[in-house]
């Protein structure tokens, strides 16, 4: 979503599709891998980052390059961040930092916080998940009227 416009030029498989991103929806996502990997707090996020980054986990530049927080600008696509207040894998603070930076840059970001569930909707109330999905579809639907499906 935050790649450069030229990143996928020349791909025959994608030739007939626009490379413009209309929106981004982030569920429980880490925002700053470098800060998270160096945190003194005891969270599962360090092991998750190490798993996904492999040998690059020790490389500061790679961690910063893989961090969404470093790609936000005023012209970023509208973005919905969804995160649980009780998330023990990726603490809500990372999504709040991402949201604050977006607000500082006047980017079009929204933040929905969930209560009563942990990471990836574990322990979530089914009714609350359905309400959340309605909000997500409404967010997505704001742009869908301009496309022919």
């Amino acid at each position: 979503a935050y790649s450069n416009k030229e990143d996928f030029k020349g791909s025959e498989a994608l030739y007939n599709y626009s490379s413009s991103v209309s929106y981004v929806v982030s569920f429980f996502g880490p925002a700053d891998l470098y800060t998270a990997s160096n945190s003194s707090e005891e969270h599962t996020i360090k092991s998750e980052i190490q798993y996904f980054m492999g040998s690059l986990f020790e490389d500061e530049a790679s961690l910063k390059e893989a961090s969404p927080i470093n790609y936000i600008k005023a012209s970023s696509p509208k973005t919905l961040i969804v995160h649980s207040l009780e998330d023990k894998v990726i603490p809500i603070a990372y999504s709040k930092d991402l949201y604050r930076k977006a607000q500082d840059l006047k980017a079009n970001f929204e933040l929905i916080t969930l209560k009563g569930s942990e990471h990836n909707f574990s322990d979530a109330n089914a009714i609350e998940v359905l309400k959340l999905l309605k909000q997500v579809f409404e967010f997505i639907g704001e742009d869908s009227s301009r496309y022919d499906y």
Side-chain angles (χ1 to χ4, degrees):
Y2 301 110
S3 60
N4 295 316
K5 288 184 178 184
E6 306 297 317
D7 284 355
F8 299 102
K9 282 211 168 180
S11 169
E12 290 185 35
L14 301 175
Y15 180 76
N16 290 319
Y17 298 96
S18 171
S19 62
S20 297
V21 175
S22 298
Y23 58 85
V24 173
V25 178
S26 170
F27 289 96
F28 311 100
D32 185 343
L33 302 181
Y34 175 72
T35 300
S37 69
N38 288 291
S39 171
S40 61
E41 297 177 34
E42 291 297 320
H43 290 293
T44 312
I45 189 170
K46 286 183 186 180
S47 61
E48 297 292 324
I49 295 170
Q50 190 167 20
Y51 174 77
F52 285 108
M53 294 296 291
S55 63
L56 298 176
F57 179 75
E58 301 296 330
D59 181 39
E60 177 181 339
S62 294
L63 289 167
K64 288 179 177 180
E65 184 178 7
S67 298
I69 201 164
N70 295 324
Y71 293 91
I72 296 175
K73 51 190 172 218
S75 62
S76 292
K78 79 177 198 165
T79 300
L80 176 63
I81 305 166
V82 178
H83 211 120
S84 174
L85 295 169
E86 289 85 21
D87 192 335
K88 292 182 178 96
V89 176
I90 300 174
I92 183 74
Y94 295 103
S95 284
K96 287 182 176 181
D97 289 346
L98 184 69
Y99 180 73
R100 272 192 292 276
K101 181 173 181 179
Q103 294 304 296
D104 290 347
L105 295 171
K106 308 278 190 269
N108 186 3
F109 276 50
E110 295 178 33
L111 174 63
I112 296 175
T113 57
L114 305 173
K115 295 178 186 170
S117 73
E118 292 185 23
H119 191 71
N120 292 339
F121 303 114
S122 61
D123 302 327
N125 175 297
I127 299 298
E128 295 303 313
V129 172
L130 289 172
K131 287 179 184 177
L132 169 67
L133 290 174
K134 182 180 184 281
Q135 289 178 285
V136 171
F137 288 132
E138 287 172 351
F139 176 84
I140 292 169
E142 292 171 5
D143 282 330
S144 64
S145 62
R146 63 185 178 163
Y147 298 105
D148 294 326
Y149 294 104

